[in-house]
Amino acid sequence: GWRKARGLRMGWRRCRGLALLLLAAVTLLLPQVRGAKDPEVYCGVCRALVAEIDWAIKKVDPKKTIQVGSFRISPDGSQKPNEISYARSETHLLELFETICSNMDDYALYVDPETQKRTYMRFAPRDSEKLGSVDFKNFKFDPENSKSLKFVCEGIVEEYEDEIISLFAHEADHVADKLCSEKSEMCDPPSQTHHPDL
């Protein structure tokens, strides 16, 4: 019996140690992410998330469909499956949500050399993009920042899952503005484009 009791005690100590470590990690992260909800980070991640989902949707064969709901009965009495495009289906979007935030590893803070405007931009080229098109000298790389971008992304997906599905499923225009400015208010409303007098 004493070996079992000792084993339980050691297991409890290890478990308590892990719990304390986790608590410390969360406490350190919270002020960065939750407490001081940095609008620059949240807005940048929201827009990056929309860009990543949009890219993933465009990679799917537009002819690929998925059956949803029940069968439709045609005028001739035959039953036809109710099919929609797979790319923008809830099934595909939910699959994307599982991994999409890992793409935040490809983003970093970018400071525009002329305006000094700070935004989060993708620095890693996608499949068809060339590496030469990226201007690395104005990116600020920070491994800790990369972790918090992913954390913020997962929070946005969790909180606005229904809105994201609705906007992409209905092929809404200006999804980034609708999600990041109107629905979540993470970004300032887009400024009206001023047309110079002709």
Side-chain angles (χ1 to χ4, degrees):
W2 68 270
R3 276 200 187 125
K4 194 173 178 187
R6 188 166 166 246
L8 281 172
R9 233 178 294 128
M10 299 233 350
W12 164 245
R13 265 196 214 123
R14 197 174 297 132
C15 192
R16 195 176 64 189
L18 278 172
L20 287 171
L21 191 67
L22 189 64
L23 187 66
V26 167
T27 309
L28 285 171
L29 275 173
L30 280 180
Q32 274 184 309
V33 180
R34 286 271 188 241
K37 197 171 179 178
D38 184 344
E40 194 175 81
V41 172
Y42 276 77
C43 178
V45 170
C46 185
R47 289 187 171 279
L49 172 64
V50 170
E52 290 303 315
I53 294 172
D54 203 43
W55 174 260
I57 285 172
K58 285 179 178 150
K59 281 185 2 186
V60 175
D61 179 353
K63 294 190 193 97
K64 187 175 179 181
T65 59
I66 186 171
Q67 290 186 13
V68 291
S70 55
F71 286 80
R72 283 193 318 244
I73 297 176
S74 301
D76 65 1
S78 63
Q79 289 188 340
K80 288 180 104 173
N82 211 1
E83 291 187 336
I84 60 164
S85 165
Y86 173 74
R88 292 179 179 274
S89 68
E90 185 172 340
T91 304
H92 182 227
L93 291 168
L94 288 171
E95 282 171 16
L96 287 178
F97 291 167
E98 295 296 316
T99 57
I100 203 87
C101 290
S102 299
N103 295 5
M104 293 303 125
D105 291 346
D106 297 339
Y107 283 79
L109 182 65
Y110 178 83
V111 181
D112 187 297
E114 288 174 24
T115 64
Q116 295 304 302
K117 186 172 188 247
R118 296 156 59 91
T119 49
Y120 283 87
M121 283 177 59
R122 188 181 177 90
F123 62 83
R126 291 193 173 102
D127 311 340
S128 60
E129 294 171 331
K130 291 182 176 64
L131 191 60
S133 62
V134 179
D135 169 21
F136 283 104
K137 66 177 178 286
N138 294 306
F139 277 101
K140 309 278 181 240
F141 294 101
D142 176 2
E144 284 307 307
N145 206 13
S146 174
K147 281 184 214 150
S148 68
L149 295 183
K150 187 176 177 198
F151 183 77
V152 169
C153 176
E154 287 165 352
I156 294 170
V157 168
E158 199 174 304
E159 194 171 338
Y160 295 97
E161 182 179 298
D162 294 341
E163 289 86 346
I164 297 169
I165 289 171
S166 174
L167 287 167
F168 277 103
H170 297 106
E171 299 190 46
D173 293 328
H174 312 293
V175 173
D177 291 340
K178 285 181 177 148
L179 177 68
C180 306
S181 298
E182 292 171 29
K183 305 243 182 225
S184 67
E185 298 181 350
M186 288 179 210
C187 302
D188 292 330
S191 55
Q192 300 298 315
T193 47
H194 297 292
H195 298 288
D197 297 329
L198 297 173

